[in-house]
Amino acid sequence: MRFTSKKSVLLHRVWMHMVAIVCVVAGITLSGCSDNTDESNLYVMHGQTIYGILSENQDFSIYTSLLNRVKLSQRTKSTVAQLLQARGHYVVFAASNEAIQQYIDSIYNAKNYDYTQIDDSVASLLVLSSIIDCGDDDDAFTVSSLGEGAIERTNLADRYITVAFEQHDGKAMVKLNREALVTTQDLEAVNGYVNVVDHPLVLSNAYLPQVIDEASNLKIFSMALKATGWDKKLVKYRDEDYEKEDHNNGRDMYGNKVDQPEHRYFGYTAFVEPDSIFHEKWGIDMPIVEGGVVTNQATIMQQLEAKCREAYPFATNTSLTDSNNCVNQFIAYHLLPERITYDKLVIHYAEIGYSYLNPSRLTIDCFEYYETMTEAHRRVLKLTEGKQTDGIRINRCCTYDEDTYDELTVTRPGIRVYSTNGQESSNALNGFYYPIDDILVYDDDVPGRVLNERMRYDISSLLPELMTNGYRRVNRNISTQMPTGYFDNLTFSKESHYNYLSGYNCGWPDFQGDEQNITGQYDLTLRLPPVPYEGTYELRWAIPIYPTRGMAQFYFGTNKQNLTAIGLPIDLRLYADNPTIGWQQDTDDPATNREHDRVMRNHGYMMPPRHDAVSTGGAATSSLRAQTAYQRIRKIIYTGPMSPDKVYYVRCKSVLANTSTQFVMDWLELVPRSVYNGAKPEDQW
């Protein structure tokens, strides 16, 4: 039986553990019990549990006392201590008595405050923030395996723990949440690992605007955030209506019981210029802070507004809270409507040369395109990262070698994104901010040069809820059934059975590994991202070919309720070498390959790109273009005019009575005419 709620799973494990204790005791005292006890079913474990390790060490007596005090939920008497005695896969970051006492004293402003008298909320925060449950299906991870960014699984308080590295006595040590040093790591127990930290892993429950405001070096951005009213728009956290619904009815495309999301969180990401960057690049005065108040705020806002008028000359409304105001547009272009950990700002998985088992070794450039929170004009921000970029870059522009895809000419280096803000916290309850090293504006070169290219979007990147709620590009193979109404940008009928598959380590020919798999009498409509400028574009859709697929009619337009059918229904079961498609395998002759490409385009199709490969953990080498099975060819859905000021939708509807056939969404492309019909042929990447 699968349990969909994290708390239900924890309660189930504790209950099984208690049953095991009763059964073992009964086996000792009652002669009628069998001598052949199934120890795995009875949860008899040889060796020490996490709780056993901690309870035997007096340095953790306060921590273990709190473990026995804190309940798993308000509806049960079961404690976290019982959980850590049960079978499972847990990672615990335990703080010593001294560390916890120092934290408690700072909270209550008293010396040696009695820890037994702290509020239940403080006790729960100390305990739940220190434990990560790795689930039934995955082993607990080790600290030694972590990289910079954030631990993939949230803790029992549903917060991400960020990871950084610091040198101490010539040795690289792991620091969590910018303040907790891991002093002892990876003590193995039968149900996971114990790690010792020198500070409790508690995080502020402040929303993102407050965390930005509390940073000592972000005063200018914070005052602009407040002046424009954006601080009041970044405070959503959890969909409370969703909390009231039953989420125990998930089924995969084969009818097996799977999870549905337990929660529907909202989140945000901000790219923020430090005060020193505003001063260096725009000549804005450094803030003068006296008694916690910026005394030269009026002067700074005047200087900032003058610079924003230069950057956004057509945003002429004088009200700072209006979306057509220059400062408002400046701030909005820094904001994304999803919570993204640093290591997932740019997704790496199957690009040529890359191994997802060795994530620190980057190869060719990868891109992510994000629609920002600008309201008056829809705008896109591009992130790039590869072996040559020196970190993540915003709105970088390059030319590439057509054979190797190495960078040739960097015409716009892009703005560097930093993972941390020194010792300042950047991890808010509902998101993250990242410092940047230059002024971020949507100047003419962004749509005219940076985004004047083939823009390839993983469908998952168009659904912020997947990232915010911890589903996109996870390092484990999961299947999750998403209920109707979970996404803002994707709507589907109740007859559509939608499953998100992470695809990790599955060897699928999916861009970035994951896919959306829909069965039933499906009918779904996706809101498309904006194009950068008015012109003629191709909308291309990745067509996953396989006998279990079906037939779908595509629709396109701006009236979501009345979209126009585009062409005939597409049979997703036809293999690519069918004459109506015209695929032929590449040869050693480039001229012959170009002719094959021409034939396919005449039929409305294109070969898969060279950029990515089928990856099983080793360095990806065999391009999707060379793939002869499970192909992902490109179908040109629409060619015609598009405008950045209009919202476009694409609808996909099953035309078969068979409800078991699958419709797979993987990726799409928006391509300007300057690329597909320019002076230079479009590259194969």
Side-chain angles (χ1 to χ4, degrees):
M1 181 177 180
R2 296 289 299 273
F3 287 75
T4 61
S5 165
K6 182 187 290 185
K7 290 181 179 177
S8 297
V9 172
L10 300 180
L11 291 171
H12 173 66
R13 291 179 186 157
V14 172
W15 180 83
M16 288 296 292
H17 180 66
M18 299 308 294
V19 168
I21 293 174
V22 172
C23 292
V24 171
V25 171
I28 295 173
T29 59
L30 300 178
S31 59
C33 288
S34 169
D35 292 332
N36 299 318
T37 302
D38 185 339
E39 294 187 351
S40 63
N41 288 339
L42 294 182
Y43 279 63
V44 176
M45 294 185 288
H46 301 293
Q48 283 188 303
T49 63
I50 290 173
Y51 181 79
I53 291 174
L54 293 168
S55 62
E56 289 185 1
N57 191 324
Q58 284 302 305
D59 286 341
F60 300 99
S61 59
I62 297 180
Y63 184 70
T64 53
S65 175
L66 295 175
L67 292 177
N68 282 286
R69 172 180 169 179
V70 174
K71 306 294 191 297
L72 290 173
S73 79
Q74 296 178 353
R75 300 186 301 274
T76 179
K77 294 182 179 180
S78 298
T79 66
V80 178
Q82 290 172 306
L83 176 73
L84 297 182
Q85 296 173 71
R87 177 162 292 180
H89 305 99
Y90 309 101
V91 180
V92 172
F93 299 96
S96 66
N97 292 345
E98 180 182 2
I100 293 179
Q101 189 65 60
Q102 288 178 354
Y103 175 77
I104 292 173
D105 290 350
S106 69
I107 293 293
Y108 290 94
N109 194 27
K111 183 69 174 176
N112 294 324
Y113 189 88
D114 185 354
Y115 70 87
T116 65
Q117 300 302 309
I118 64 176
D119 296 342
D120 287 344
S121 60
V122 176
S124 294
L125 188 62
L126 282 164
V127 169
L128 299 181
S129 298
S130 69
I131 301 169
I132 294 178
D133 176 19
C134 295
D136 289 326
D137 301 327
D138 296 302
D139 291 335
F141 62 84
T142 60
V143 167
S144 59
S145 68
L146 297 176
E148 184 182 42
I151 297 175
E152 182 170 274
R153 290 182 180 270
T154 56
N155 57 27
L156 295 188
D158 278 332
R159 298 291 296 276
Y160 284 105
I161 297 174
T162 60
V163 179
F165 296 90
E166 289 188 359
Q167 290 290 327
H168 288 266
D169 298 326
K171 178 182 178 182
M173 298 184 68
V174 174
K175 201 163 195 179
L176 306 175
N177 291 345
R178 302 307 304 160
E179 58 184 0
L181 200 66
V182 180
T183 57
T184 303
Q185 65 185 47
D186 302 334
L187 297 176
E188 188 170 6
V190 294
N191 57 347
Y193 293 96
V194 176
N195 303 278
V196 180
V197 291
D198 67 355
H199 190 282
L201 291 184
V202 292
L203 284 166
S204 166
N205 282 332
Y207 293 129
L208 184 58
Q210 183 180 342
V211 172
I212 293 173
D213 187 55
E214 291 172 351
S216 61
N217 62 336
L218 304 178
K219 297 303 180 185
I220 298 175
F221 190 92
S222 179
M223 66 177 69
L225 198 68
K226 295 175 186 177
T228 55
W230 274 105
D231 63 322
K232 295 179 175 60
K233 298 177 182 180
L234 306 181
V235 294
K236 293 174 69 175
Y237 170 57
R238 187 169 64 188
D239 186 342
E240 296 302 333
D241 290 334
Y242 186 82
E243 296 292 309
K244 302 172 186 176
E245 300 171 0
D246 178 19
H247 306 298
N248 294 303
N249 304 309
R251 300 283 173 180
D252 67 10
M253 52 277 194
Y254 305 111
N256 302 312
K257 186 171 176 58
V258 295
D259 291 349
Q260 285 186 334
E262 181 182 357
H263 305 290
R264 184 173 182 261
Y265 290 115
F266 304 104
Y268 310 95
T269 298
F271 302 101
V272 181
E273 294 92 347
D275 298 332
S276 59
I277 295 297
F278 280 117
H279 180 67
E280 175 190 346
K281 303 292 183 178
W282 269 5
I284 294 176
D285 290 351
M286 290 293 290
I288 300 172
V289 181
E290 295 179 1
V293 177
V294 179
T295 60
N296 58 338
Q297 178 170 333
T299 300
I300 288 174
M301 286 303 300
Q302 290 174 359
Q303 294 171 337
L304 179 65
E305 189 169 0
K307 285 295 184 180
C308 288
R309 278 198 299 270
E310 294 177 11
Y312 297 95
F314 299 105
T316 56
N317 194 293
T318 58
S319 172
L320 292 174
T321 59
D322 192 276
S323 59
N324 274 309
N325 174 269
C326 59
V327 182
N328 195 293
Q329 290 192 16
F330 172 77
I331 291 295
Y333 191 59
H334 291 67
L335 307 175
L336 305 181
E338 54 193 299
R339 177 178 66 169
I340 314 175
T341 59
Y342 180 80
D343 53 307
K344 292 179 181 174
L345 286 171
V346 178
I347 301 296
H348 298 276
Y349 185 73
E351 63 265 28
I352 293 298
Y354 182 76
S355 166
Y356 58 76
L357 297 179
N358 185 17
S360 62
R361 183 184 176 276
L362 300 177
T363 57
I364 58 176
D365 285 359
C366 286
F367 316 103
E368 288 290 330
Y369 302 91
Y370 293 101
E371 182 176 353
T372 62
M373 296 182 72
T374 44
E375 296 171 332
H377 304 282
R378 299 176 68 201
R379 287 169 175 155
V380 169
L381 176 150
K382 174 187 174 183
L383 296 184
T384 305
E385 187 181 36
K387 65 182 178 181
Q388 297 175 266
T389 62
D390 187 26
I392 296 173
R393 298 282 175 172
I394 301 176
N395 293 340
R396 184 178 179 87
C397 189
C398 304
T399 60
Y400 292 93
D401 186 286
E402 292 193 4
D403 293 324
T404 64
Y405 209 64
D406 289 333
E407 293 183 355
L408 291 179
T409 305
V410 180
T411 57
R412 182 174 171 134
I415 298 172
R416 175 72 182 272
V417 180
Y418 293 98
S419 61
T420 65
N421 186 22
Q423 296 303 311
E424 306 277 2
S425 174
S426 59
N427 187 349
L429 180 66
N430 62 345
F432 298 91
Y433 74 80
Y434 301 104
I436 55 180
D437 74 350
D438 206 343
I439 305 293
L440 174 60
V441 295
Y442 192 79
D443 57 49
D444 291 342
D445 271 357
V446 176
R449 294 172 58 200
V450 175
L451 301 178
N452 186 19
E453 64 182 9
R454 174 186 55 232
M455 294 173 288
R456 184 174 300 145
Y457 289 87
D458 191 292
I459 298 296
S460 299
S461 71
L462 304 178
L463 308 176
E465 294 85 357
L466 287 176
M467 182 67 82
T468 296
N469 290 276
Y471 291 102
R472 188 177 177 206
R473 189 60 279 124
V474 294
N475 295 331
R476 59 191 186 277
N477 186 28
I478 60 171
S479 175
T480 308
Q481 198 258 318
M482 299 294 180
T484 304
Y486 196 81
F487 301 115
D488 286 339
N489 291 341
L490 177 69
T491 57
F492 48 90
S493 64
K494 292 183 178 180
E495 294 75 29
S496 308
H497 304 300
Y498 179 106
N499 282 270
Y500 174 75
L501 310 179
S502 68
Y504 183 78
N505 203 30
C506 290
W508 297 344
D510 289 324
F511 179 52
Q512 299 183 353
D514 60 353
E515 67 181 39
Q516 284 81 46
N517 195 306
I518 301 95
T519 55
Q521 198 63 44
Y522 56 82
D523 187 351
L524 51 142
T525 302
L526 177 68
R527 178 180 183 266
L528 294 175
V531 295
Y533 57 85
E534 191 158 349
T536 302
Y537 290 82
E538 282 186 350
L539 169 62
R540 304 169 183 169
W541 195 275
I543 301 295
I545 294 173
Y546 200 66
T548 59
R549 313 306 186 212
M551 290 184 69
Q553 176 66 56
F554 281 80
Y555 303 77
F556 177 81
T558 57
N559 185 346
K560 184 179 179 181
Q561 307 306 323
N562 188 25
L563 300 173
T564 302
I566 303 296
L568 298 173
I570 299 173
D571 194 336
L572 308 173
R573 301 163 297 183
L574 295 179
Y575 285 106
D577 59 359
N578 186 284
T580 62
I581 298 175
W583 173 88
Q584 295 188 61
Q585 194 166 0
D586 277 343
T587 70
D588 294 331
D589 180 19
T592 299
N593 298 338
R594 285 194 295 271
E595 176 61 19
H596 293 168
D597 290 343
R598 186 191 66 80
V599 170
M600 284 191 70
R601 276 195 66 92
N602 287 343
H603 293 164
Y605 292 91
M606 294 180 65
M607 293 279 278
R610 285 178 61 185
H611 187 276
D612 295 273
V614 174
S615 182
T616 56
T621 56
S622 181
S623 166
L624 289 179
R625 185 178 169 93
Q627 186 73 13
T628 57
Y630 304 103
Q631 290 171 313
R632 293 286 193 273
I633 59 173
R634 288 175 276 189
K635 172 63 178 174
I636 303 171
I637 299 297
Y638 167 80
T639 302
M642 295 182 73
S643 168
D645 295 325
K646 293 182 179 180
V647 179
Y648 297 92
Y649 300 89
V650 60
R651 178 187 177 195
C652 312
K653 185 178 184 298
S654 175
V655 297
L656 297 180
N658 185 354
T659 59
S660 64
T661 59
Q662 301 171 4
F663 181 77
V664 173
M665 296 195 299
D666 189 1
W667 48 273
L668 61 83
E669 293 176 342
L670 285 169
V671 190
R673 185 177 181 183
S674 61
V675 172
Y676 71 81
N677 193 28
K680 185 179 180 181
E682 182 179 351
D683 66 64
Q684 298 178 347
W685 293 89

